[in-house]
Amino acid sequence: IAAIMALLLVFSILAVELVHPLVHEMSQENEWCHASFSSVENAIVFFFQTILVGDSWGICMVPMVREFWYLFPFFAGSFVTIQLGLMNL
């Protein structure tokens, strides 16, 4: 469990640094996306909700990937890494 939480922390820090500046450039205004990547704590909640629970995957990630295609490897990598980590538990 600690390894999964560490992965969530690493991906959340990367998301705040890499994704947060791009969210402000999106053509669609989505308040949840703006708030999700504004801090590491919010990003942890976002990744927990979307990756571990599987809720609201398309609300924020799909519009971002459609506008910024190069975010797909980041989100896909976080999904695969955390899911494979859970399968090993």
Side-chain angles (χ1 to χ4, degrees):
I1 299 293
I4 299 298
M5 293 308 291
L7 284 172
L8 281 174
L9 179 66
V10 168
F11 282 116
S12 297
I13 291 170
L14 288 173
V16 170
E17 292 297 321
L18 300 175
V19 178
H20 181 66
L22 297 175
V23 172
H24 296 292
E25 298 176 17
M26 286 180 57
S27 60
Q28 293 180 341
E29 287 295 322
N30 188 339
E31 199 61 38
W32 188 62
C33 284
H34 286 281
S36 294
F37 299 110
S38 62
S39 70
V40 174
E41 294 86 6
N42 289 344
I44 288 173
V45 171
F46 172 80
F47 281 122
F48 184 82
Q49 179 181 0
T50 56
I51 295 175
L52 293 177
V53 179
D55 185 32
S56 303
W57 180 262
I59 290 176
C60 192
M61 286 192 192
V62 171
M64 282 195 308
V65 169
R66 284 188 178 160
E67 277 196 51
F68 308 106
W69 62 269
Y70 45 86
L71 288 178
F72 178 76
F74 174 73
F75 287 126
S78 65
F79 180 78
V80 168
T81 304
I82 292 173
Q83 289 297 325
L84 286 176
L86 280 174
M87 287 173 43
N88 283 328
L89 288 179

